[in-house]
C-alpha cells in the first residue's frame, strides 16, 4: 500500500487524540500533507481506535477528489485550504477539547496569557466567526482567524491546530486546551495579565524562525 508510513502516522495521531481527551467518539479530523497536490485525511464517521492505514483517505487538494473505499472527512476542504494557504504547514488537527469548546461557545479571543502559547500558537488565539461545518464560508473565516497563527477556534464548535509536522500539530492541540483553561480559570482571581502584544509577536517569530529550527537540527543530528 502506498504511503504506508504516512497513513500509520495519521492513525496513531487519532488514537492519541482519544487517549488524551482532545476528542470524543468520531468527532474531529486529522490530515497530513504528502506533496504539493495531495493530503491524507481521516475518513468520515469512523472510530479512531479502529482505524487502520488502509482507511486513511488520499485527497487531491485542488479538486477534493479522493481515492479509497471510505469517504473523507467533511472538513477536507478546510484542511486543503490551509495547506494551500500555508506552505510551511504539513499537519492539521481539528479537535473538540472541552476548554477550547467553552471559549469557542463564547466566541472570545484568548489573549497572550502564557509564554509557550505565544511561541507556538501566536500572539493570540482568535475565534473564527460562525459558519456551517464543511462550508466554504467557514473555510474563509477560519483562514482569516489563522493569519499569523498556528491555531484558531471555530465559533460554537472546536479548534483547529497546525504544525510543520504531526508532532508539532499535536503539541499545538495541547497548548490550545491549556491556554483556554488558564484563561477561563484566571477569570476567578481577577483575570489574566496579558503579555505585551509586541513581545508576544516577537516571541512567536523567534520560536518559529530560529529556536524551533535549531531544535530540529539537534534532533536530526542525534539520530
Amino acid at each position: 500500500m502506498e504511503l504506508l508510513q504516512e497513513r500509520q502516522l495519521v492513525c496513531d495521531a487519532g488514537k492519541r487524540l482519544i487517549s488524551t481527551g482532545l476528542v470524543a467518539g468520531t468527532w474531529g479530523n486529522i490530515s497530513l500533507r504528502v506533496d504539493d497536490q495531495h493530503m491524507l485525511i481521516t475518513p468520515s464517521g469512523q472510530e479512531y481506535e479502529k482505524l487502520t492505514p488502509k482507511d486513511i483517505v488520499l485527497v487531491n487538494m485542488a479538486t477534493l477528489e479522493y481515492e479509497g473505499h471510505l469517504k473523507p472527512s467533511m472538513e477536507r476542504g478546510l484542511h486543503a485550504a490551509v495547506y494551500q494557504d500555508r506552505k510551511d504547514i504539513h499537519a492539521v488537527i481539528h479537535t473538540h477539547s472541552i476548554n477550547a469548546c467553552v471559549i469557542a461557545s463564547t466566541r472570545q479571543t484568548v489573549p497572550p496569557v502564557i509564554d509557550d502559547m505565544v511561541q507556538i500558537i501566536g500572539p493570540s488565539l482568535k475565534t473564527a466567526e460562525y459558519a456551517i461545518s464543511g462550508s466554504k464560508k467557514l473555510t474563509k473565516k477560519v483562514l482569516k482567524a489563522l493569519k499569523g497563527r498556528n491555531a484558531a477556534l471555530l465559533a460554537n464548535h472546536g479548534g483547529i491546530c497546525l504544525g510543520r509536522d504531526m508532532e508539532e500539530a499535536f503539541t499545538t492541540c495541547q497548548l490550545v486546551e491549556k491556554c483556554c483553561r488558564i484563561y477561563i480559570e484566571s477569570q476567578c482571581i481577577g483575570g489574566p495579565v496579558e503579555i505585551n502584544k509586541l513581545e508576544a509577536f516577537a516571541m512567536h517569530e523567534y520560536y518559529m524562525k530560529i529556536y524551533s529550527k535549531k531544535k530540529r537540527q539537534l534532533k536530526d543530528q542525534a539520530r
Side-chain angles (χ1 to χ4, degrees), residues 104 107-108 126-131 138 140-146 152-156:
R107 306 189 184 186
Q108 295 184 54
K126 294 185 175 181
T127 298
E129 295 177 18
Y130 183 79
L138 177 64
K140 182 178 180 180
K141 292 181 180 299
V142 171
L143 289 180
K144 181 180 178 181
L146 281 170
L153 301 177
L154 286 61
N156 304 93

Side-chain angles (χ1 to χ4, degrees), residues 33-99:
R33 183 203 295 269
V34 293
D35 57 37
D36 290 339
Q37 288 81 40
H38 300 90
M39 66 179 181
L40 291 168
I41 194 167
T42 47
S44 179
Q46 302 296 309
E47 295 180 29
Y48 291 104
E49 298 98 325
K50 296 180 180 179
L51 285 180
T52 64
K54 66 181 177 59
D55 298 323
I56 306 304
V57 189
L58 184 66
V59 177
N60 183 302
M61 293 189 290
T63 65
L64 300 184
E65 295 177 350
Y66 59 92
E67 300 176 9
H69 64 287
L70 293 176
K71 184 178 179 180
S73 167
M74 67 181 298
E75 299 289 4
R76 60 188 178 277
L78 173 57
H79 287 247
V82 169
Y83 292 129
Q84 291 167 334
D85 186 61
R86 294 280 301 275
K87 302 302 182 184
D88 59 318
I89 295 303
H90 288 77
V92 177
I93 303 176
H94 168 45
T95 68
H96 286 194
S97 54
I98 297 298
N99 291 289

